[in-house]
Amino acid sequence: MEKVLIIEDHGVVRAGISHILEQEAGLVITGLAKNGKEALELVRKGLKPDVVLCDLHLGDMCGIDVVREFQQLVPEAGVIMLTVETSEYYISEAFQAGVKGYLLKEADSDELVHAVRKVLQGKYFICTGLARQLQARLIRQNDESAKQPSVELSERESEVLRLLADGMTNVEVANRLFTSKRTVEGHRLSLLQKTGTRNGLELIKVAMLQGLLKIPGETSI
């Protein structure tokens, strides 16, 4: 059974999420917390969740700070940020802190379950509503991006980019392409240099903007 911890300061929302997930085969709710302090205390007492749903705005602390603490205490747990915030600032901060998924509270129960399953598979997840908003923003930037020089990728760089966008680690990409981790790291560095980006999240954003990756209804990053 995969263990789920829910951190949400609104009791009704917390109970609703719990009710949805406890109906799913293979999932068990092992912890409910109304704030960051409670959640961290549960973990310090020995709770080892496989996946965590964490509200961004908690009563006592920011959910992003909770994620950073979880990275130290239970780095193997996949954290999904649950929020109404759609700004790129919060998205970027959340993923840099270590979240595996970003889910808007407007998402339906099917997408909630899908997000949990995706993260349990070790993949990254962005919900459909947010992907559409990001797509709209990227479309508005088309005129500006058209002025930028196009990026030319080799066939192997394109393969590496696609697999990284699907949430694979460097080792997983290396295994898929039957090459070494060092070679994949070299391709990743080349992708960052060619696109003028600093990290994986920015790389995928720019790749979508310049048409190097398609933007599906939901996407991995």
Side-chain angles (χ1 to χ4, degrees):
M1 298 288 282
E2 304 284 3
K3 301 180 290 296
V4 182
L5 168 62
I6 300 170
I7 312 170
E8 165 62 55
D9 60 351
H10 289 88
V12 174
V13 177
R14 188 169 62 249
I17 295 172
S18 178
H19 176 73
I20 292 170
L21 295 182
E22 66 187 3
Q23 308 303 314
E24 293 297 311
L27 300 181
V28 58
I29 308 300
T30 58
L32 295 170
K34 65 176 181 292
N35 56 44
K37 182 179 179 180
E38 276 192 9
L40 292 170
E41 187 65 22
L42 287 172
V43 171
R44 292 190 179 105
K45 287 182 177 179
L47 182 66
K48 301 289 186 183
D50 297 298
V51 64
V52 180
L53 287 112
C54 182
D55 191 4
L56 177 60
H57 298 300
L58 296 166
D60 60 341
M61 60 193 301
C62 176
I64 292 173
D65 292 329
V66 176
V67 175
R68 294 192 179 103
E69 292 282 349
F70 268 58
Q71 287 295 297
Q72 300 297 318
L73 298 171
V74 281
E76 67 279 6
V79 183
I80 299 172
M81 190 62 71
L82 186 65
T83 181
V84 298
E85 296 286 356
T86 62
S87 75
E88 292 186 15
Y89 169 78
Y90 282 116
I91 298 169
S92 177
E93 286 292 305
F95 279 105
Q96 288 185 45
V99 305
K100 292 288 187 179
Y102 201 96
L103 185 68
L104 296 181
K105 289 187 176 181
E106 67 186 34
D108 59 25
S109 58
D110 288 340
E111 190 162 32
L112 168 64
V113 172
H114 184 62
V116 171
R117 298 291 188 194
K118 195 83 170 178
V119 169
L120 284 171
Q121 293 171 9
K123 306 296 184 182
Y124 289 85
F125 180 87
I126 291 181
C127 67
T128 302
L130 185 56
R132 288 172 178 165
Q133 291 185 44
L134 290 174
Q135 183 179 32
R137 291 173 187 169
L138 294 177
I139 290 174
R140 288 196 296 269
Q141 295 171 11
N142 274 346
D143 289 342
E144 180 179 345
S145 65
K147 300 175 184 178
Q148 300 174 356
S150 60
V151 176
E152 293 187 6
L153 304 181
S154 68
E155 182 177 348
R156 182 45 61 95
E157 286 173 337
S158 295
E159 289 179 316
V160 170
L161 175 62
R162 176 175 56 80
L163 294 175
L164 290 174
D166 197 36
M168 289 190 180
T169 64
N170 289 344
V171 173
E172 289 172 332
V173 174
N175 291 337
R176 176 67 66 85
L177 299 180
F178 303 103
T179 187
S180 68
K181 178 185 175 184
R182 180 181 292 274
T183 298
V184 172
E185 290 173 344
H187 287 309
R188 186 177 184 277
L189 178 60
S190 177
L191 287 166
L192 292 174
Q193 291 174 339
K194 284 186 175 182
T195 57
T197 53
R198 297 166 296 176
N199 53 56
L201 180 64
E202 190 177 0
L203 169 63
I204 302 307
K205 176 185 173 182
V206 170
M208 289 190 297
L209 178 63
Q210 298 196 3
L212 302 174
L213 279 173
K214 292 183 179 179
I215 309 172
E218 65 180 53
T219 186
S220 304
I221 66 171

